[in-house]
Amino acid sequence: MRIKPNVQLKKITAVMLGVYALGAGQVNAQQIAILDSGVDPQPSFNLVQGFDYFNNDDDTSDKSGEDDDVEAHGTATVRLATESFSGEIVPFVITDGASVDVDQVQVRTARDSALSDILGRSSVRVIGITNNSLGVTNSSAPLISNLSGAGKVIAITAGDGGSTQPNALSTSSFNLSGVVIVGATDASGELLPGSNQAGTTSNKYVAVNGLLGNDPDSIEGDTSYATARLSGIAGAVLLQNPDLTAEEVVEVILMSAEDRGEDGTDSVYGRGVILNAQQVLNNVIGPVVVPTPPVTPPATPMPSSGGGGGGGGGGAILLVGGALAGVLLLNRKSSTKLEKTLVLDSYGRSFEADLSQQVEINDGALHLNQFFYSLKQQAANSSVGSQVYLPRLKSTVAFQATALVDPRIDMIEYFAMPGDVGIEAKNKTVSLAVESKLSQRFDFSAGYNVSPNQEFGGAKNLERHSRFGASSFITGQSFGSVLSGFSTQANTSSLSYRSSDKSSIKLGLVSVDQTERFNQTSLSALLEGSYQFTDNAGMTLQFGQIKENGSVLGGGASGVLGVDHSLTYALNLAGNIKATNKFSVVGNYGVGRTRVESSDSSLLNDFSTLTSDWYSLGLIGNNVFRTNDQIGFAFSQPLKVRSGSVNYSIPVGRLDSGRIGFDTERVNLSDTNATEQTVEAYYRTMLNHKLEVGGFVSYRKNPNHISDGGDEGIVMATVRYWQ
């Protein structure tokens, strides 16, 4: 099983919104006021007491006297609002519903009385002015300004005169905070012929499905019905996140509109078209963040760079070290956790996301970068190609520039279809190395973008092939230790002292800087002592520490799976024996102890001390079957945590209080169901002085110490022409 990276957050749903809406609605009522004619008091409408200001009584039921089979206008608007809104609706009757011979002064008076009443109701967050009578739409209402200042969302019908301008109430009110002007479309999003266009209100105008029913071929509809639908959508947004202001609710609606007509905002469709509530409720606006405990939903929008109590952009790649990936991500129990993670968009709205699609595992295995890089190596001890010797300085300078894929793109992802990989390839890799003989006993070396395992690993003392270097395994991780860093390329420096022909001491530094790709940095300081028992056998003992900034055991810096920093002390013993004139045996074993400082913006907190180990054993042969060939075999166990634990908290929903609910457990980081074992083999040979062929095999049993995902294998043949 592989968890692939994905730069865009996919499969976002609103599954948990309905659950949260029930709890939030009970604790902090979210009500919609509809200004229209009387309403049939159906139980499914969830009506609460309003007022009939047209007749000045508290009976808001439909009094139109029409045939029972005909739905009254006010009833229709309330029904359309309930398509997406499950909270309470407060009906205010401001007209008798008659299309002719209605007393416009009476309607205007009723409307202003209703608006004044709403001004005193803090529980009413959304107002839908859905009635199209002249008494409502052809005069400006100073009360709209007061309602705007009180933080109400005010949806105003644009009118149905087929005009290029909305009605007078719209044009006089659209600039107020929380106001949105509503036109009407058919089921396909085409503006209805009778709907007034955006005109001068274009920046606050949206066209909404204005059909009375769900029949896509219907032509019965108007801006009243569109406004009712939008009022319900606005109410649903507030159920989604009651801490949004009225202005923010309108921004969410306007930003969710689908562009129609001329590109961008125009005088016909304004900001665009909204055909259904899901278009708004499921629309993630801006970068998402993953909340981390403890967190309270922000009262204002979070900055576009993320934050607001959340940790790590949900759309960014989250890098996890292979030693932790199995227990935190890949085993059966934990693998389902990130698939249903609560995330927040820039307005603090809750969504459910499969965060596992954002994870890349830094397990050091099957990386094409290191493989192709090894094919470019020459015999230089620096592992860098072209060399220049400077006799006066007693120094060798080696350099190489080549086009390689990114270090994190592995064999599986390399052959994936376009669009499957979330990391772009780098075009160039430049490496530089310097080796200087300071005196008879002191040597100095430094490298930029070189393989740290070739400088400090167990393979560095192997007899090197004149063409192929020390070894060419696909992974490039065999015979190394954590002190070499968790990257195939690093900056290195060392100072060596040879006390005799058999013994030497080396002080070294390894700096990994991948801030451009993963904001990952580490610095290792190590002391290495070597002793040659004979000309054909020797051993090396390393001791040192590696400090990782923002990560632990090869993970990515910051983010919801990062830490502030970690410090690992490690001891690594490596040895090599030249068994025959052609074959050498090499191996190493290491142990580590890690202290972790947790981050407040991470899902991982309260680490205990971690202990770990690793080992490798291999056989390298030079000029075995031909003068210019090399064969290699390696068996290894990558870094594995043997003891340690951490609190692992996944955001799963919102509580009635509005706070984030977490699924938290104490995870034993050594509790994997298997141990990874990697077997690698290769053969390279020169058919002539320019043509090389090779075969490479790599097999991982229980990748990342988990058996559930199956094993991985790579078989590859290469042909290379040397210039």
Side-chain angles (χ1 to χ4, degrees), residues 497-526:
Y497 172 74
R498 291 188 305 278
S499 58
S500 67
D501 292 339
K502 292 186 176 183
S503 61
S504 65
I505 297 176
K506 177 187 288 188
L507 292 172
L509 295 174
V510 179
S511 173
V512 174
D513 186 353
Q514 294 192 1
T515 54
E516 180 181 350
R517 304 303 299 171
F518 297 103
N519 199 27
Q520 180 192 35
T521 60
S522 68
L523 178 64
S524 304
L526 57 94

Side-chain angles (χ1 to χ4, degrees), residues 287-619:
V288 299
V289 295
V290 182
T292 52
V295 63
T296 301
T300 56
M302 290 176 286
S304 60
S305 60
I317 298 298
L318 305 173
L319 193 68
V320 178
L324 302 183
V327 66
L328 293 179
L329 302 172
L330 301 180
N331 72 29
R332 291 178 179 177
K333 184 177 181 181
S334 61
S335 62
T336 60
K337 286 189 173 185
L338 289 180
E339 294 175 1
K340 296 182 179 181
T341 306
L342 180 142
V343 298
L344 305 176
D345 75 352
S346 291
Y347 286 88
R349 296 185 299 152
S350 307
F351 295 90
E352 184 179 280
D354 183 356
L355 201 64
S356 67
Q357 297 298 310
Q358 306 303 114
V359 177
E360 169 74 0
I361 298 175
N362 183 22
D363 52 13
L366 306 179
H367 289 312
L368 279 181
N369 183 314
Q370 178 62 27
F371 171 69
F372 287 131
Y373 192 79
S374 69
L375 296 188
K376 295 283 288 183
Q377 291 177 5
Q378 298 278 6
N381 289 336
S382 61
S383 303
V384 180
S386 303
Q387 301 178 68
V388 176
Y389 180 67
L390 306 176
R392 289 189 177 182
L393 299 178
K394 298 181 179 180
S395 300
T396 298
V397 178
F399 62 91
Q400 178 174 292
T402 185
L404 296 173
V405 296
D406 189 279
R408 301 299 178 195
I409 295 182
D410 65 22
M411 301 285 284
I412 296 172
E413 293 162 354
Y414 183 79
F415 294 107
M417 296 298 292
D420 287 350
V421 178
I423 308 174
E424 297 295 331
K426 289 184 177 180
N427 293 324
K428 295 180 180 178
T429 296
V430 177
S431 300
L432 178 68
V434 177
E435 294 183 348
S436 297
K437 191 174 183 59
L438 302 180
S439 68
Q440 287 295 108
R441 296 189 179 275
F442 284 96
D443 295 324
F444 173 79
S445 68
Y448 172 77
N449 273 350
V450 298
S451 171
N453 282 340
Q454 295 291 335
E455 179 69 19
F456 298 104
K460 68 181 180 60
N461 293 323
L462 289 177
E463 181 178 345
R464 304 178 68 85
H465 192 282
S466 60
R467 280 273 181 153
F468 305 134
S471 62
S472 303
F473 292 107
I474 292 177
T475 65
Q477 70 173 4
S478 299
F479 319 121
S481 76
V482 299
L483 296 174
S484 298
F486 297 92
S487 174
T488 57
Q489 291 178 305
N491 305 326
T492 66
S493 63
S494 65
L495 179 65
S496 301
Y497 172 74
R498 291 188 305 278
S499 58
S500 67
D501 292 339
K502 292 186 176 183
S503 61
S504 65
I505 297 176
K506 177 187 288 188
L507 292 172
L509 295 174
V510 179
S511 173
V512 174
D513 186 353
Q514 294 192 1
T515 54
E516 180 181 350
R517 304 303 299 171
F518 297 103
N519 199 27
Q520 180 192 35
T521 60
S522 68
L523 178 64
S524 304
L526 57 94
L527 176 65
E528 181 178 283
S530 299
Y531 186 81
Q532 284 294 120
F533 297 102
T534 68
D535 292 340
N536 295 325
M539 61 173 285
T540 299
L541 181 65
Q542 288 181 350
F543 174 76
Q545 68 175 34
I546 174 172
K547 182 178 182 180
E548 300 173 76
N549 296 317
S551 59
V552 54
L553 300 179
S558 67
V560 295
L561 297 177
V563 300
D564 274 350
H565 62 266
S566 62
L567 184 64
T568 299
Y569 293 92
L571 187 69
N572 190 81
L573 178 64
N576 64 88
I577 300 173
K578 190 170 183 181
T580 70
N581 188 44
K582 296 181 177 180
F583 286 98
S584 296
V585 178
V586 61
N588 76 298
Y589 173 77
V591 294
R593 188 175 180 87
T594 304
R595 296 203 309 263
V596 184
E597 184 68 30
S598 301
S599 169
D600 291 336
S601 58
S602 175
L603 302 179
L604 306 175
N605 287 282
D606 192 20
F607 280 84
S608 68
T609 299
L610 312 182
T611 62
S612 57
D613 66 7
W614 58 91
Y615 66 80
S616 300
L617 181 66
L619 182 69

Side-chain angles (χ1 to χ4, degrees), residues 103 222 462 671:
D103 186 339
D222 59 26
L462 289 177
D671 188 18

Side-chain angles (χ1 to χ4, degrees), residues 8-173:
Q8 294 185 343
L9 197 62
K10 294 182 178 179
K11 299 169 66 176
I12 292 180
T13 62
V15 172
M16 52 185 74
L17 301 182
V19 176
Y20 171 56
L22 293 176
Q26 294 166 357
V27 175
N28 185 15
Q30 308 289 328
Q31 296 180 338
I32 290 177
I34 297 293
L35 278 62
D36 209 287
S37 62
V39 180
D40 182 0
Q42 299 180 33
S44 61
F45 284 168
N46 198 19
L47 299 177
V48 296
Q49 186 61 53
F51 198 82
D52 183 345
Y53 282 104
F54 189 80
N55 296 303
N56 287 317
D57 61 50
D58 59 5
D59 181 8
T60 59
S61 62
D62 177 25
K63 307 184 186 74
S64 64
E66 297 182 24
D67 191 306
D68 291 340
D69 293 334
V70 178
E71 188 178 49
H73 194 274
T75 301
T77 56
V78 169
R79 176 176 59 79
L80 294 174
T82 61
E83 288 181 350
S84 55
F85 181 67
S86 60
E88 298 173 338
I89 295 181
V90 188
F92 287 94
V93 180
I94 62 172
T95 181
D96 62 2
S99 58
V100 295
D101 298 330
V102 64
D103 186 339
Q104 300 300 329
V105 175
Q106 185 179 1
V107 172
R108 186 179 305 116
T109 302
R111 176 209 62 189
D112 289 348
S113 297
L115 294 177
S116 181
D117 186 337
I118 294 169
L119 190 58
R121 300 192 184 209
S122 60
S123 58
V124 174
R125 301 288 305 276
V126 179
I127 306 165
I129 303 179
T130 60
N131 190 267
N132 270 323
S133 67
L134 295 176
V136 175
T137 60
N138 277 13
S139 63
S140 120
L143 283 167
I144 300 294
S145 178
N146 296 332
L147 291 163
S148 170
K152 313 289 188 184
V153 177
I154 309 162
I156 303 176
T157 175
D160 296 296
S163 171
T164 58
Q165 279 285 109
N167 56 48
L169 186 61
S170 300
T171 55
S172 63
S173 308

